[in-house]
Amino acid sequence: MRKLGLSVREAAEALGVHTNHIYRLIWRGELKAARLGTRLIIPRKELERLLGVPVDLEEEAPEVGPRG
C-alpha cells in the first residue's frame, strides 16, 4: 500500500535535507503538516506541491550479488 503521508524524518530523507529544514518549512507555512498525537505527518501531495513533481518513495529491493 502506498503511504499517504510521511514523518518529518522520512520527508527529510526524501528531499535530502536535515529534519530541522523540514520543521522550518512547516513553521514558515511553506509545507503543510498534520499533527497525529505527538507526530507531524506531511501529506505526500504537499511534497509533490513543494517540488512540482510527483514523489515516488517506494523502496527498491537491494540487489543481491552472486555468492562466492
Side-chain angles (χ1 to χ4, degrees):
M1 177 186 252
R2 186 173 172 189
K3 290 174 110 176
L4 298 176
L6 292 87
S7 68
V8 170
R9 182 183 55 80
E10 290 170 328
E13 288 176 3
L15 296 178
V17 299
H18 195 274
T19 54
N20 288 345
H21 188 73
I22 300 296
Y23 285 117
R24 236 179 277 122
L25 289 171
I26 294 167
W27 182 77
R28 291 191 306 224
E30 297 176 32
L31 186 64
K32 294 179 185 174
R35 186 167 295 281
L36 293 176
T38 59
R39 294 185 64 194
L40 283 173
I41 303 296
I42 296 120
R44 177 185 295 271
K45 292 290 183 189
E46 270 299 292
L47 286 181
E48 292 175 348
R49 182 194 58 78
L50 182 70
L51 297 174
V53 295
V55 176
D56 184 19
L57 300 172
E58 302 301 321
E59 292 185 34
E60 296 179 15
E63 291 185 31
V64 178
R67 290 185 170 204

